[in-house]
Each structure stands twice: as structure tokens, then as C-alpha cells.
Amino acid sequence: MYYFKVMSAAKPFSIKTFWIILLMASFVINQEKEAVNIYRVEEVGRLKIFAKNDHIYPVTIEVDFDLKNLTSSRDLPFTGVLKPAANENILDLVFAKGADGWNYKATFKYYMGSIFAKHNDEFTYRLPFKTGKSYKLSQGFYGAHSHQGDLKYALDFDLGIGDEVYAARDGLVVALEDKNDRGGPLKKFMKYANFITIMHKDGTFADYSHLMNKGVTVEIGQKIKKGQLIGFSGATGFATGPHLHFAVKKAKKGGGYISVPVKFATKDGIAELQEGQSYIGF
């Protein structure tokens, strides 16, 4: 999930104006408009470039400039991370001495999460279903059906429609969808998946996907505890049948995500789950 935009601007140095907005980018999540803004403030001899993140999660930004009669205070292209609710001066564009004017073309992209996040490999996850219930892991790491490439560390549990889904780790709800009622074995159904995305303390995210219609019991911005009921399983989106798709992921440079391997507490100890095996909620 990312946004990309190209903008340009030009001004003679003789006009002394307080400029605020340079770039604005926004996208819609769950019909709520969110925005990351990049803007400039003109000072004597330079343009100060600021970035503002209004999201409740960090974002990675990638900014580049094609400059004329300006030099950047940082190497370009610039890649950085904005914390939630951050407003930072990310770089300055300095006017060339003796020039009559300046201009630039800027490219700007941002996406959810920090590319510098590091998963806590020592953390032990809770099985994401009800204590005492047993479910088969129908597709594990490197699953032949759909767990390849960036999704190679995803897990599918064979929960039925309406079965309870529990948080595997503490975190913050940053995205969700529960209005869809369509699903099927073709990739064209992918956009119809109901899901919950929870951000963890280490900057990674957990996806709980294919939830039933109206099957989400939490809200965006809600803090979640490990073992808390968060929704109900279903078969929405790209799915051959009812199941819970679970994956822990981190942002990758350029946009998108890469899944990371995780371990769970089971009745037989801490383990990396194996495809085809059944596990009891613990």
C-alpha cells in the first residue's frame, strides 16, 4: 500500500513569500481519508522541506528532486521514516549564489511501515484461535498453493465460518475491512478479503485475513492484548474455502511487504508450525 506523485515548482528569488504546501499525498483506508504531507517553508537562502505524517503508524517516505539552481543538504534520493504524528524537517534546498531563479521537479512516494523495522525473533506468538480448540495447519511456510515469494512465511489454519479469531500478540489496530461478502479460488477475488492488520511494538504487522462479513470486533486505533477476541473467520477474498490466513510482515523498500518467520507456544513447547499438523489452542 503506497502512494506516488510527481510535482514541480519554480520561483524567482526576488519574491519573498511564506510558502507552505509543496506536495500532498493521500490514500483511503476503510473510507477514512488519511494523508502524508510534504511542504516547504522559504527562508533566506534556502527552502526548508518538511514532512508530516498524520497516520497512527509510521510511514517510509522516498523523495527525489530534479534541481536547477538549488542544492540539497542531503544525498538524493532521500529515504526516511516518519513516526506517527511526526512533523519533521527532512532536508533543505539551498539557493545557488548569484542565480536569478530556481526550479525543481519532485517525486514523492510513501507507504505504511518502517523498512528499518526488525522483528523480535525471540517473541513467542499465541495460536490465533480459541483455547482448547484444535485446528489443522492447511498451508504452512513455503506452501505450494499461495505461500511463495514475499508471502513464504504465511500460515493458513482451517477455521470454519464464524470460528473465533484471537490476537497472537499485543499491538495496535491500524487497518481493517469487514464489509465484503465475496470469495473464491481466483485471484480476482483478492480485493474482497476482510481482514485486520495489527502493528506490533517492533514495527512489524500481523494480518488476519479471510474474515467473515461483519466479522471484525475491533476498531482502527484500538490497542489489542495477546489472546483478545478480534473477529470471526470466513472465506472472503482469494480463498478456496473457509480458513484463517495469518502472516507477520514488515515493510520493504519500494513499497509492499515481506513476511517473517514466527514461532508459537503449543502444548508440546515453542515450535515453528508444520503444514498438515493439527494444533490445540494454548
Side-chain angles (χ1 to χ4, degrees), residues 84-127:
N87 187 12
E88 300 179 10
N89 176 202
I90 58 172
L91 59 86
D92 293 346
L93 300 178
V94 181
F95 302 147
K97 292 182 179 179
D100 292 330
W102 55 265
N103 60 56
Y104 63 78
K105 181 171 72 173
T107 56
F108 168 52
K109 174 166 64 175
Y110 75 91
Y111 37 93
M112 183 172 72
S114 168
I115 60 172
F116 305 115
K118 292 184 178 181
H119 180 254
N120 177 10
D121 294 335
E122 301 301 315
F123 185 83
T124 301
Y125 288 77
R126 180 198 189 277
L127 289 165

Side-chain angles (χ1 to χ4, degrees), residues 184-221:
L186 303 176
K187 289 186 177 181
K188 70 177 183 179
F189 290 102
M190 192 174 294
K191 63 183 177 180
Y192 299 111
N194 292 324
F195 66 91
I196 301 167
T197 300
I198 295 177
M199 182 175 67
H200 304 140
K201 184 178 180 179
D202 59 12
T204 62
F205 302 86
D207 284 338
Y208 303 76
S209 302
H210 306 302
L211 306 180
M212 66 182 294
N213 178 251
K214 305 300 182 183
V216 173
T217 63
V218 295
E219 299 178 348
I220 290 177

